[in-house]
Amino acid sequence: MMQTGLIAITHCGGPLQYAVDVKANYVGIAVFERVPPGTSAGMAGVMLWADLRAHLEIPPIHGNKAGFVDLEHDEVLIPDLPGTAHGAIYKGRSYIFADGMNGVDEIVDYALLDIAIGPGGKPLSWRNRFAQSAREKIDVSFRHRARHAIANALVVFLPFEVPFDQARIEVLCETDPICLNGTVIAGRINDGTIPQDGQWFKQFYYSARSDSVTVAPGGQVDVPFQLLWNADASPVLRAATFKLDADAGYLPRRRVTTDANGQGLVTVEARGLQPGDVIGVKINTEHYTAIGKLRVEVTP
C-alpha cells in the first residue's frame, strides 16, 4: 500500500517556493518565485507574509469552484517569505475542489490530478492527466509535460476516489513547502533518488491479472481476474467498476464490477470463432486503457 498524505519531493531545483493547503474537500497550492538579493518590490508592490498568509488561508471564492486560478495580490514581493533568503514574488494560487463544478469523469477511480506551472511561473488550473492524455495513450509524465510546455508542481494520486486528505499528494519543490491551515508533511523524498523514466506514478496504481483460459468454438466461458497493486502485487481489497473491450468474440456485458476483495468475473463467448483463435479482453477505466488484458484461447 502507498503512503498517503502530503509528500515533499525535495531538491527538484528551480526558483519556486510553494504553500500548500490540504483538506478533505480541496487541495490548493500558492506559487512564489524566489528573488535575488537587493530586490525591493514586485510589479504590484510589497506585502508582508503575515498579511498574505491571512489571505491564502481562506480558499478562493469563485462561486462555481471550477478551478479558475486566483491572481489576487499576484506579483507582490513577499520579503519575509519562509524558506527563502531574500523573499519571493507571489504568482497566484490554484485549487482543486471535490464539490466544485467538475466534469462527470474528472474526479473518479483511477485518476491522476495535477496542478502544473505554466509560462511566467504562474499556476495553471488543475487537470486529470489521464483524461488529457488518453487519446494518444501517453502515460509517461515527461512526455505529457513536454507536449504542453508545463512543469510539475502538485500531483494527487487517486487509484480510488477518496477525500483528498486520505490521498497521496506530492509537491515537487526545492525545499519544504509552507503548510497552510494545519496541513502537515507526511514524508520527504529526495528527487535524485527517483528514476527519471516517467513511470513513478504506476507504483501507486493497480492492474488486473488472470490466467489464460480456453473455450470451445461457439462456446461460453467465465474468466476470473484479480486486482493487484503494481508496487508489490498484493491484492486490492476494494470494489471497482471497469469497461470491457474485446478484439474478437462477444461480450454479453461491457461493464464489470469487482467484489470487495478486488475479484471480478468476465463472461466471454466465442461466437464465429475457430480453434486457434485468441480473444483478448481489455479491462479499462474511464480514461486509462491498460488496467489488464484477459486472454481466452479457442480450442477444439
Side-chain angles (χ1 to χ4, degrees), residues 94-287:
S94 183
Y95 277 64
I96 307 170
F97 291 99
D99 59 351
M101 185 179 287
N102 303 323
V104 174
D105 295 330
E106 283 193 286
I107 302 180
V108 292
D109 288 349
Y110 217 96
L112 189 155
L113 312 180
D114 64 23
I115 297 176
I117 304 299
K122 293 188 180 297
L124 302 175
S125 177
W126 69 274
R127 65 181 67 193
N128 180 333
R129 187 192 302 173
F130 293 157
Q132 288 284 318
S133 59
R135 184 176 297 275
E136 294 91 351
K137 302 186 187 302
I138 296 171
D139 62 358
V140 289
S141 59
F142 292 103
R143 176 58 185 152
H144 171 71
R145 298 201 302 274
R147 289 170 67 243
H148 296 277
I150 57 177
N152 257 351
L154 183 143
V155 183
V156 182
F157 300 96
L158 289 179
F160 295 102
E161 183 181 357
V162 296
F164 292 134
D165 60 356
Q166 297 176 28
R168 180 187 180 91
I169 300 173
E170 292 183 353
V171 57
L172 288 84
C173 48
E174 176 60 21
T175 58
D176 278 358
I178 300 164
C179 293
L180 302 173
N181 282 324
T183 299
V184 298
I185 297 175
R188 296 172 180 83
I189 300 174
N190 188 316
D191 183 63
T193 66
I194 297 177
Q196 299 298 299
D197 56 6
Q199 303 293 314
W200 174 256
F201 75 93
K202 288 192 174 182
Q203 65 186 302
F204 308 124
Y205 292 82
Y206 49 84
S207 301
R209 312 282 177 84
S210 75
D211 295 327
S212 179
V213 300
T214 61
V215 63
Q220 176 179 298
V221 65
D222 289 334
V223 185
F225 69 90
Q226 171 73 57
L227 300 181
L228 301 175
W229 291 106
N230 293 333
D232 58 8
S234 61
V236 174
L237 303 180
R238 183 153 179 164
T241 299
F242 301 97
K243 296 179 178 180
L244 303 175
D245 181 35
D247 58 12
Y250 174 72
L251 300 175
R253 297 181 182 85
R254 297 282 175 168
R255 296 286 189 277
V256 61
T257 300
T258 66
D259 61 20
N261 295 314
Q263 298 176 344
L265 203 65
V266 176
T267 301
V268 179
E269 296 182 8
R271 294 186 188 181
L273 301 182
Q274 303 298 322
D277 289 338
V278 176
I279 305 170
V281 181
K282 291 185 69 175
I283 299 178
N284 309 319
T285 67
E286 293 295 336
H287 305 299

Side-chain angles (χ1 to χ4, degrees), residues 23-47:
K23 291 291 179 288
N25 64 332
Y26 71 76
V27 180
I29 184 169
V31 180
F32 304 84
E33 186 173 25
R34 294 181 179 88
V35 297
T39 304
S40 59
M43 288 189 295
V46 179
M47 190 174 189

Side-chain angles (χ1 to χ4, degrees), residues 48-67:
L48 293 179
W49 169 239
D51 296 328
L52 183 63
R53 180 166 192 145
H55 168 72
L56 295 180
E57 292 202 321
I58 301 174
I61 300 174
H62 292 304
N64 51 35
K65 299 181 181 178

